[in-house]
Structures are given as C-alpha cells and as structure tokens.
C-alpha cells in the first residue's frame, strides 16, 4: 500500500493508472484517503523526524536565497520620492510634500466621492430629460 501511494505521489499518475503490482487502485486510494483524514501520515512524519533528529541526521538551519524568492513586478526598485528634475520645476514648495503617496491617494478619492455625490444631488433635483 505505502509503495503504491508513494509511487502515485512521486509520479503524479492518476489513481486508476497505478501499476497492478501495487494492488487494486481503489484499495490504495481508499487507504491513502483514510490515512490522510485520520492523521496517520502526520504521525508517521513526526515519528520519522523525531528519530532522525535524535540521530543528528537533520540539519534544521534554513537558508533562503534571493534568487529563488520572486519579488512582485512592482517591487523593482521604483523611486519613492520625486525626482530632482520635478522638484526644481516649481518655484514654491511642493503642494503635498509631507504626504505619503497613500494619503495623497486617499485625499484624491475623497474629493472624487464628494464631487460624485454633488452631481447625484443635482441630478435628483433636476427635471427628467427625454431624448
């Protein structure tokens, strides 16, 4: 049974395509399903890990290399403060210099909502139009 389950996990074949040497595929599938549901696989893994750890066969140090951790496409080092060329164009201080981009966006969205509400209020008071 275990060899059949491991074969299926390693190769990715469908349960129905298990070689006959592992027995009836339905039996192998049902055993795997039951052992997964009742925690047998987790207990086996914990037991094997405990024995290997006691024997010193497991190195628990984890190393993460940046070449295997993909960054989001927007995390490509974009500039967060205005470029010197843009800052020098204006004669006075920048309008929202101390605001973060998020606060500036929230402020703009609030303005848009207020304008949309004003339009909706004016539309309710105006007579209906026919075309």
């Amino acid at each position: 049974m275990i060899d059949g389950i491991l074969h299926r996990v390693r190769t990715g074949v469908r349960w129905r395509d298990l070689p006959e040497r592992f027995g009836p595929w339905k039996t192998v599938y049902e055993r795997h399903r039951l052992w997964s549901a009742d925690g047998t696989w987790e207990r086996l893994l914990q037991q094997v890990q405990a024995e290997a750890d006691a024997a010193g066969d497991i190195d628990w140090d984890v190393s993460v290399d940046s070449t295997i951790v993909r960054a989001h496409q927007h995390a490509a080092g974009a500039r967060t403060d205005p470029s010197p060329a843009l800052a020098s164009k204006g004669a006075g201080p920048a309008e929202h210099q101390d605001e973060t981009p998020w606060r500036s966006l929230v402020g703009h969205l609030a303005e848009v909502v207020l304008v949309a509400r004003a339009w909706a209020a004016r539309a309710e008071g105006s007579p209906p139009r026919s075309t």
Side-chain angles (χ1 to χ4, degrees):
M1 287 297 137
I2 293 175
D3 286 338
I5 293 168
L6 292 177
H7 176 78
R8 195 268 179 184
V9 170
R10 274 187 301 236
T11 62
V13 299
R14 297 182 315 174
W15 287 108
R16 292 177 184 262
D17 295 336
L18 274 178
E20 290 182 16
R21 68 178 181 268
F22 299 120
W25 71 267
K26 282 186 178 185
T27 306
V28 178
Y29 166 74
E30 283 299 318
R31 188 71 49 94
H32 171 66
R33 190 181 64 77
L34 291 172
W35 287 356
S36 295
D38 70 5
T40 300
W41 289 117
E42 286 80 14
R43 287 192 306 275
L44 285 172
L45 177 63
Q46 289 171 356
Q47 184 67 33
V48 169
Q49 281 179 336
E51 290 176 12
D53 191 28
D57 294 336
I58 295 181
D59 182 14
W60 292 102
D61 292 335
V62 176
S63 175
V64 178
D65 184 7
S66 64
T67 59
I68 59 168
V69 178
R70 293 185 53 110
H72 190 273
Q73 63 183 358
H74 296 130
R79 187 180 295 149
T80 58
D81 49 336
S83 68
L86 291 177
S88 65
K89 283 187 179 180
E95 185 177 331
H96 302 287
Q97 190 170 1
D98 60 340
E99 286 186 355
T100 63
W102 177 252
R103 287 187 182 170
S104 178
L105 175 64
V106 170
H108 290 308
L109 289 175
E111 290 174 23
V112 169
V113 168
L114 290 175
V115 170
R117 286 181 179 166
W119 285 350
R122 276 186 265 151
E124 285 179 5
S126 65
R129 297 181 187 178
S130 61
T131 56

